[in-house]
């Protein structure tokens, strides 16, 4: 948030000799261009900051330190709005810290992203006519490194464009040698402590990847009824969304028991049938067995309370080798596993169906069951289809021997630290998610069957028929370690390194301390660890934040950070999560630079050609662009500052953060408003003349004091909001002050003062203008980094400002204003007086607009009031009021009774405007009729909206987000009605 160049008292080449020594205007700065152009303002600034090492942390500084790490984006990734939100949040935090005197480390890095990167390179090789198996692991890894060297800097360059003030001198990559050594050290240490072990368990398996995948890479797609789904490896689509009811014959009985499944081919691996112990339909079956029709064996009927008696027939088939729920039940009842689907998605361990692809096998099994008289019914059914987010393949659950990290003990400590307040999660609503996650006793599967990643430092050591697994850095160490268990000489032991790699989340889990030099106690590690804050999306609280905490506690003996800030997921302007499947993804670079509708179309088509978008995704993207950007003929250029400001104008702590291009463009116009205010200042200062005597604070006008009081309140609000990470409140306070109060009111109020015969009024305005702009832009600078860097040095100022003294030019960053320095300017009495005056002005403007009264007519304003103080205040500021309302006079007596329009200010005051001209009466009647129609229409809308919101069906079925949005609309409509009614 700090400005990244040495601050000098801003200057003007105007009338240097005209001012007295105490009020002399500093000179030297150039006036800004006529209008704000983002590309011109942003050009070359970041490269200059980087050359000056302005983002580099000093590990020997005595300043209070503040450290964060950037959640490492995928090395093959490109900037998307989710990145833009996350990075802007963090950049605003660290810039604010720098400007308040902290020694800040914000460390950048990129993640090797095992699955994503391997997938990208495999697609690249496929286009060349080869696959990874053709060239082998060693050559494939070389190809990935080539790809990384060629494309790996894309995301980093885009982060620079966004203005992220990262310490690039410390940039890391999770496959760097140093980080790899840290990963190996972590694995070996945890293995030696008995926390990492190897076992056979059920995992998420993706056939297309030929690897296990973590839960976060599994997307449960809702299927509503029979739906054809394209599955990788199949020429024809596969039908999902059906439930199959079939029966098992009981052994030694004519009775049968009916079960249901959405995946009938898995019945080949059924090893039990479960019913609820209190289900009276089946209590007589205790101890009974059923005949498996394809194995000629029996399977037991077991009783377990997990069964829902109300669902289906109340009997559930148990397939422990292919269902995670069934797997847990089988362990409890000692039911055997029978794997019938292999790693290629083919049937195994079934003589009749072996080597058939599972979905080719499905209709055959259904037909055979029907022929046996066992198939009862096939009907539509809603289901969740687990798919791999990387490949779109349907996930299989397979029993595989894998490496696991035992989490029970680690989870207990992680839960306690949140409960006792040592680890703070913000917002607090996610504490429940944390406790749910840490309360799950499942161990973490940390191995993946990939070629790109950190190869697991574990060796299978064999001597004769004896086998032992050990963790070691190399074969020699492995033999020595294994000899302790095999009781033989190291040279007689055969070793083979595990070919699997570690889950990317494991290397990310040690990221906060590994990137600072752990396991060695390097200077950065000693100075900046633990981190002060971890900021990331709430969707990876369990997958990443939790794992950083448990690994940090176990490996470093302390929390890796004591504060966690979780932000929402980026959505479009209608609240829909941005995704390729919806077609509503917006590239932040397109928002920054602007892009035509045709450009959007061509870009999407190119992404389809390169395989990034499927045909369906392309069609949805084109439809979205046409629906949302046809009116504007594309996305208008907004610039970096408007994008950053817009992203943080929403409550980032909400579950979802909406982004609207129209609002972003509006914020670009806000930037231009600020730009023009500097030009206005310069032109106004040029009108100042020599003072024969010094001015003092007592020379400030009503409006000067009001503006300074509003400024003091804004500084306090922004300062508080920055500390509590309520950035939307900070941006609201800034926009409200700068746009609504400073530009729209105060600047207009100063125009008569700069033309006044009393020069002190102009100088009082000048001191106020200089202070307000300097202070407000310093508060704005964490959000709008380029604009404020450009404009603050151009703000004309005084060598000694009677309102506030700014630091000299020896600092690298513009200091953030301190609320205590402005407390003296808070003036509730003046604010109340000016607020009354402004309400009068706004009502006059509203009446003039309603009745289409041109500013050229300059009508007379009559005020009917019982408040003497209002009369006094209006008279003292009459010139300003007339300037702001574009009226000719204000009167309190002799109020006419014809050709007038009026509005109620409050119970004591009416505002009356006298219309002049022959058609005045006709205009009044027409406008009043139009107003009455608007009021009636609004009343009808409110009636329908209130009925809708009070409906029990609406409250039960409509999403919380939509209900909240509708309540806001209701409140807005009520306010609008009140405003219109006072004009009748």
């Amino acid at each position: 948030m700090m400005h990244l160049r040495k601050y000098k008292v801003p200057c003007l080449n105007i009338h240097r000799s005209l001012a007295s020594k105490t009020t002399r205007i500093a000179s030297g700065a150039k006036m800004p261009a006529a209008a704000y152009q983002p590309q011109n303002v942003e050009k070359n600034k970041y490269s200059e900051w980087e050359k000056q090492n302005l983002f580099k942390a000093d590990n020997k500084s005595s300043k209070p330190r503040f450290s964060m790490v950037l959640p490492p984006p995928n090395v093959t990734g490109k900037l998307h709005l989710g990145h833009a939100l996350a990075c802007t949040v963090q950049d605003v935090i660290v810039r604010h810290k720098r400007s308040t005197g902290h020694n800040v480390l914000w460390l950048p890095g990129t993640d090797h992203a095992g699955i994503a990167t391997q997938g990208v390179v495999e697609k690249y090789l496929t286009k060349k006519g080869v696959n990874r198996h053709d060239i082998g692991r060693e050559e494939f890894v070389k190809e990935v490194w080539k790809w990384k060297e060629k494309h790996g800097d894309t995301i980093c360059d885009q982060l620079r464009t966004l203005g992220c003030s990262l310490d690039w001198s410390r940039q890391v990559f999770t496959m760097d040698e140093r980080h790899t050594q840290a990963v190996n050290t972590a694995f070996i240490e945890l293995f030696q402590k008995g926390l990492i072990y190897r076992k056979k368990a059920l995992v998420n398996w993706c056939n297309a990847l030929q690897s296990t995948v973590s839960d976060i890479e599994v997307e449960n797609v809702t299927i509503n009824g029979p739906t054809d789904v394209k599955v990788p490896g199949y020429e024809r689509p596969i039908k999902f969304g059906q439930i199959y009811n079939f029966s098992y014959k009981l052994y030694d009985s004519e009775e049968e028991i009916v079960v249901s499944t959405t995946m009938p081919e898995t019945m080949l691996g059924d090893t039990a049938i479960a019913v609820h112990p209190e289900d009276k339909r089946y209590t007589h079956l205790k101890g009974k067995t059923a005949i498996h029709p394809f194995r000629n064996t029996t399977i037991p009927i077991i009783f377990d309370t997990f069964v829902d008696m109300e669902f289906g027939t109340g009997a559930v088939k148990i397939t422990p080798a292919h269902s995670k729920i069934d797997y847990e039940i089988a362990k409890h009842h000692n039911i055997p596993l029978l794997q019938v689907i292999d790693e290629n998605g083919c049937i195994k361990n079934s003589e009749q169906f072996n080597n058939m692809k599972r979905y080719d096998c499905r209709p055959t099994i259904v037909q055979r069951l029907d022929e046996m008289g066992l198939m009862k019914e096939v009907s539509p059914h809603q289901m969740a289809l687990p798919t791999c987010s990387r490949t779109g393949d349907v996930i299989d659950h397979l029993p595989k021997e894998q490496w696991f990290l035992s989490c029970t003990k680690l989870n207990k400590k992680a839960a306690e630290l949140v409960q006792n307040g040592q680890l703070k999660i913000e917002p607090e609503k996610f504490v429940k998610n944390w406790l749910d996650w840490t309360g799950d006793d499942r161990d973490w599967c940390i191995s993946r069957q990939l070629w790109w990643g950190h190869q697991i430092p574990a060796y299978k050591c064999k001597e004769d028929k004896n086998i032992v697994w050990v963790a070691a850095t190399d074969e020699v160490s492995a033999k020595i370690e294994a000899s302790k268990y095999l009781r033989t000489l190291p040279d007689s032991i055969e070793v083979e390194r595990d070919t699997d790699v570690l889950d990317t989340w494991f290397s990310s889990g040690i990221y906060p301390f590994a990137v600072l030099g752990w396991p060695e106690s390097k200077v950065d590690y000693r100075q900046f660890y633990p981190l002060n804050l971890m900021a990331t999306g709430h969707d990876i609280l369990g997958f990443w934040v939790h794992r950083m905490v448990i690994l940090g506690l176990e490996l470093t003996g302390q929390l890796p950070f004591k504060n966690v800030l979780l932000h929402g997921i980026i959505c479009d302007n209608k609240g829909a999560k941005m995704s390729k499947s919806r077609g509503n993804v917006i590239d932040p670079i397109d928002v920054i630079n602007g892009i035509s509708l045709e450009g959007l179309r061509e870009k999407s088509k190119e992404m389809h050609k390169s395989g990034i978008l499927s045909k369906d995704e392309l069609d949805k993207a084109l439809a979205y662009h046409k629906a949302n950007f046809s009116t504007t003929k594309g996305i208008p250029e907004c610039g970096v500052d408007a994008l950053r400001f817009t992203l943080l104008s929403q409550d980032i702590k909400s579950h979802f953060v909406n982004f609207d291009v129209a609002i972003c463009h509006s914020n670009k116009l806000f930037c231009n408003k600020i730009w023009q205010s500097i030009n206005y200042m310069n032109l106004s200062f040029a009108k100042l003349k020599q003072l024969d005597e010094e001015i003092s604070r007592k020379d400030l006008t009503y409006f000067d004091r009001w503006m300074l009081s509003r400024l003091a309140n804004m500084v306090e609000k922004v300062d508080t909001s920055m500390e509590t990470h309520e950035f939307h409140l900070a941006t609201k306070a800034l926009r409200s002050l700068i746009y609504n109060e400073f530009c729209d009111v105060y600047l207009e109020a100063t125009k008569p003062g700069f033309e006044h015969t009393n020069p002190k009024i102009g100088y009082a305005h000048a001191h106020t203008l200089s202070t307000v702009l300097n202070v407000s832009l310093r508060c704005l600078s964490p959000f709008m980094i380029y604009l404020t860097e450009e404009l603050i040095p151009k703000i004309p100022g005084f060598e000694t400002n009677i309102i506030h003294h700014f630091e000299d030019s020896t600092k690298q960053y513009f200091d953030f204003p301190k609320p205590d320095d402005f407390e003296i300017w808070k003036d509730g009495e003046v604010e109340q007086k000016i607020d009354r005056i402004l309400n009068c002005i706004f009502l006059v403007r509203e009446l003039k607009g309603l009745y289409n009264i041109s500013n050229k007519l300059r009508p007379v304003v009559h005020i009917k009031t019982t408040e003497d103080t209002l009369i006094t205040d209006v008279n003292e500021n009459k010139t300003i009021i007339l300037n702001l309302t574009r009226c000719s006079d204000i009167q309190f007596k002799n109020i006419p009774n014809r050709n007038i329009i009026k509005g109620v200010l409050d119970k004591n005051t009416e505002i009356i405007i006298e219309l002049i001209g022959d058609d005045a009466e006709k205009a009044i009647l027409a406008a009043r009729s139009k107003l009455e129609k608007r009021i009636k229409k609004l009343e009808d809308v409110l009636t329908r909206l209130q009925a809708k919101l009070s409906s029990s069906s609406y409250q039960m079925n409509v999403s919380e987000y939509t209900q909240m949005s509708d309540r806001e609309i209701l409140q807005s409509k009520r306010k609008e009605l009140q405003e219109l009614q006072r004009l009748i």
Side-chain angles (χ1 to χ4, degrees), residues 679-717:
N679 281 335
Y680 170 79
M681 258 192 89
N682 281 295
L683 293 170
S684 298
F685 270 48
K687 299 174 182 177
L688 297 177
K689 299 177 181 179
Q690 172 70 45
L691 276 179
D692 296 324
E693 56 181 308
E694 299 176 4
I695 69 164
S696 63
R697 295 185 180 189
K698 67 181 177 59
D699 294 310
L700 296 174
T701 68
Y702 259 118
F703 270 84
D704 293 330
R705 284 152 53 202
W706 168 77
M707 189 69 253
L708 292 170
S709 183
R710 298 304 304 141
L711 179 73
N713 285 306
M714 182 276 286
V715 170
E716 182 179 51
K717 184 67 176 177

Side-chain angles (χ1 to χ4, degrees), residues 78-85 158 161-162 585-594 603 635 638-640 643 647 659:
K78 291 186 178 179
L79 189 71
H80 55 65
L81 272 177
H83 287 135
L85 172 65
Q158 291 176 327
T161 299
L162 198 62
V585 173
I586 298 173
D587 187 337
I589 302 300
D590 291 339
V591 178
I592 292 169
N593 298 330
K603 186 175 179 180
I635 298 175
C638 296
V640 172
L643 173 62
L647 287 167
F659 180 81

